[in-house]
Amino acid sequence: MSRRSPRELAVTVLQYGIALLAVGWLLTQIEVGTVIDRLASLDAGTIAILLLVSLLGALAQFETWRAVLRAVTPTTLRAAASTSLVVNFVNQLLPSRLSGRLAAPFVVRSYTGLGYADAAAVTGVHTGIYAVLYGSISVLGLVAIAMLESVPIGLLGLLAASTGLYFVAGTTVLLAGANLRYLDPIVRGLASVASLLPAIGDTLATRIDGLTDMTEASTTAFRTLATDRDVWLQYGLSWAVVLVVAPAIRVGVLLAAFGVPFEPLVLLPFYLVTAYSVTLLPLTPGGVGVTEATATAVFVSLGVPGSAIVPIVFIDRVFGIYLPAVLGWIPAARLDLSTLSVED
């Protein structure tokens, strides 16, 4: 394993430092004793709703993967669930939600037996649709937030940047995935250069030139998936449950349990999507701390007391993100490492 450069190490330390500072800021906004008392006061019915909604959200998350995978190969719920949990696990270890997508083709290959070209296409389409849908819903929340004079301009700018990044990421992935053949001249150029090396040149050149076959196969699969209306519909419905419906129900139920009124309730799902959009920015591993701090700032600007929204956001993130990520360690530890290769 190669050692990290001083610059890479400094960036990593900075990111974890930002996360700790964000968590520290959150703790200054609440009275810990009061929060513990409020959490302990939740009745069995409220807890049951939180657990049920979170379970449905998890199943819907698994279905987003099945929506893309079963268009290529028959896929069990277990394989889709394992893929989703492992990707979420990796997302919380590295900065930005896109980090886990880099490992996803290998994970898909391990659990489904797909060739690397198809696995890469599945991952790319899943990532592209996710980002486009997130950006579309987030912009609605951003418009609603921007109409309020109580929201600081700096916070609004951060939300706008993260929302825009989702659009850029989504369209870039979808366009690039559908046009991988444009990379063929570059690949062939690299093969020509490699062939000049003594002893290993010809073998290395053959390996590199063989990548053009993979780009052709991956491009074909990508285009088929990205233009499949059923994939978009099935994915979109599952995505809406995961990112829009489940968080809104959890937060809405907790606001009611804490006796905090919120109007208009119909905008709550959009506010949440926008408030959580900073997870895409590579500020801290998995957006930990910064996401909660940003969401808290948004809802405090909307008039929700900080003492109430901090534990509510924390609970929502635990049920929706952190618990599934922790559970993802189990299938991650069982991955067949022999499948983690681009060779079919």
Side-chain angles (χ1 to χ4, degrees):
M1 181 180 296
S2 61
R3 297 181 60 184
R4 290 186 175 185
S5 68
R7 179 180 179 277
E8 291 174 331
L9 182 60
V11 170
T12 299
V13 171
L14 177 61
Q15 290 169 333
Y16 278 95
I18 293 174
L20 291 174
L21 288 174
V23 171
W25 178 82
L26 284 175
L27 293 177
T28 65
Q29 305 303 302
I30 61 174
E31 296 180 6
V32 178
T34 301
V35 171
I36 294 176
D37 290 340
R38 284 193 170 187
L39 295 179
S41 68
L42 293 178
D43 58 78
T46 299
I47 296 175
I49 292 175
L50 293 176
L51 291 174
L52 178 59
V53 170
S54 299
L55 177 60
L56 292 176
L59 292 174
Q61 177 67 58
F62 304 157
E63 285 298 322
T64 63
W65 281 100
R66 287 188 75 190
V68 185
L69 280 167
R70 62 188 167 202
V72 179
T73 183
T75 304
T76 64
L77 179 61
R78 181 176 180 177
S82 297
T83 299
S84 176
L85 290 171
V86 172
V87 171
N88 284 344
F89 173 68
V90 177
N91 277 338
Q92 300 312 307
L93 297 178
L94 302 173
S96 177
R97 290 190 63 81
L98 291 180
S99 302
R101 306 309 172 109
L102 299 177
F106 302 100
V107 178
V108 168
R109 177 183 170 88
S110 176
Y111 286 115
T112 66
L114 283 176
Y116 185 79
D118 286 338
V122 165
T123 300
V125 171
H126 189 284
T127 301
I129 297 178
Y130 178 99
V132 168
L133 291 177
Y134 203 108
S136 300
I137 300 301
S138 184
V139 76
L140 297 177
L142 182 64
V143 170
I145 293 173
M147 296 175 65
L148 304 173
E149 297 181 357
S150 57
V151 181
I153 188 65
L155 177 60
L156 191 61
L158 176 63
L159 297 175
S162 56
T163 296
L165 186 56
Y166 268 104
F167 278 119
V168 172
T171 54
T172 297
V173 169
L174 291 176
L175 289 175
N179 296 280
L180 287 176
R181 292 312 305 269
Y182 287 116
L183 297 177
D184 285 357
I186 299 176
V187 172
R188 293 193 179 98
L190 291 174
S192 298
V193 173
S195 66
L196 301 176
L197 297 174
I200 64 171
D202 291 339
T203 300
L204 182 58
T206 299
R207 284 290 186 90
I208 294 176
D209 193 57
L211 291 176
T212 59
D213 294 332
M214 188 188 73
T215 59
E216 180 175 5
S218 187
T219 297
T220 300
F222 193 103
R223 288 179 176 176
T224 300
L225 290 171
T227 56
D228 190 326
R229 287 179 295 181
D230 289 339
V231 169
W232 279 83
L233 178 60
Q234 294 167 15
Y235 186 107
L237 291 175
S238 299
W239 182 94
V241 173
V242 181
L243 276 304
V244 182
V245 177
I249 293 178
R250 279 194 297 263
V251 172
V253 166
L254 288 169
L255 284 169
F258 287 177
V260 179
F262 188 88
E263 294 291 343
L265 199 58
V266 69
L267 291 180
L268 179 59
F270 304 102
Y271 287 146
L272 282 168
V273 171
T274 305
Y276 289 155
S277 65
V278 295
T279 53
L280 193 62
L281 296 174
L283 300 175
T284 65
V288 177
V290 171
T291 302
E292 289 79 9
T294 302
T296 296
V298 168
F299 280 92
V300 167
S301 299
L302 297 176
V304 180
S307 59
I309 197 59
V310 169
I312 288 174
V313 167
F314 177 75
I315 293 172
D316 181 48
R317 293 280 289 172
V318 166
F319 278 105
I321 301 296
Y322 300 134
L323 183 56
V326 171
L327 293 176
W329 174 82
I330 299 174
R334 296 176 178 175
L335 271 177
D336 181 1
L337 298 181
S338 66
T339 64
L340 305 187
S341 168
V342 298
E343 295 184 6
D344 293 328

